[in-house]
Amino acid sequence: MHRVQRQVEDFDEELRTLAADMTATMYAADGVGLAACQIGVDRAIFVFDCPDDQGVAHQGVVCNPVLYLPEGRDRKLDDAEEGCLSLPGAFIGCARPDYARVTGHGLTGEPVTFEGRGLLARCLQHETDHTLGTVFGDRLSSRARKKLYKQADALAVDYPPEWPAESR
Ligand code: ZN
């Protein structure tokens, strides 16, 4: 999980199948986002279906995501709880900017942009992180990270070893 993922170069049938698999896995696991590395595929792509701060759901696929975050006085941190389908059932507060915008490519190579606040901002940051080899535990204090992994270990027995890839 700690590896920068390969850029998507071929916007072909294989990519569409991958995105469809990822979307099915995300829904089966009841998640709001999923990156390819979480199902063992080395490719910079994520899918999401996530509500923003107004409760409006946004869905999409982003290949080769590039993240833009507010800086200076526009940068406000939100430390709501965060989880990850690779650490099922574990949640812990994680401070992140309350707004994010991601640009990248869609499944046919067309440019796409997604932006928003609330859980959507968190999701876009979390999933882009995955494509860059960062997991959210890396963004926590060592104390909070220990707590998170301890929680995940305690819950691991409730999930099959293939989770989330074979949770369908
Ligand atoms: Zn994750």
Side-chain angles (χ1 to χ4, degrees):
M1 298 286 274
H2 284 107
R3 201 168 39 158
V4 177
Q5 300 292 294
R6 260 176 52 212
Q7 292 280 293
V8 173
E9 284 165 358
D10 300 318
F11 295 88
D12 55 8
E13 196 54 43
E14 197 187 323
L15 183 70
R16 283 185 282 281
T17 303
L18 171 63
D21 279 356
M22 288 167 61
T23 304
T25 301
M26 172 180 75
Y27 287 132
D30 215 10
V32 294
L34 185 84
C37 61
Q38 295 183 270
I39 57 166
V41 177
D42 177 4
R43 210 64 50 81
I45 175 176
F46 71 81
V47 299
F48 68 97
D49 183 344
C50 182
D52 63 16
D53 60 332
Q54 307 291 318
V56 178
H58 298 252
Q59 297 95 20
V61 178
V62 186
C63 303
N64 309 328
V66 177
L67 187 66
Y68 299 89
L69 297 174
E71 281 173 22
R73 67 170 62 179
D74 293 332
R75 187 177 174 97
K76 293 185 184 67
L77 294 180
D78 164 20
D79 66 354
E81 290 209 321
E82 185 160 328
C84 178
L85 291 183
S86 298
L87 296 172
F91 291 90
I92 200 160
C94 178
R96 293 186 184 267
D98 67 348
Y99 168 87
R101 176 160 54 96
V102 164
T103 63
H105 300 282
L107 290 177
T108 58
E110 79 281 15
V112 294
T113 300
F114 297 99
E115 63 182 326
R117 297 183 181 279
L119 186 59
L120 178 61
R122 181 171 297 282
C123 173
L124 295 174
Q125 294 174 66
H126 180 115
E127 302 308 333
T128 302
D129 271 356
H130 273 309
T131 70
L132 297 171
T134 299
V135 296
F136 91 102
D138 301 338
R139 298 205 173 272
L140 302 171
S141 68
S142 59
R143 190 171 167 181
R145 188 181 314 123
K146 265 186 211 135
K147 209 171 143 190
L148 172 71
Y149 288 122
K150 208 170 149 188
Q151 214 187 110
D153 281 348
L155 293 165
V157 290
D158 298 336
Y159 295 88
E162 306 80 8
W163 177 275
E166 292 177 21
S167 51
R168 270 164 276 169

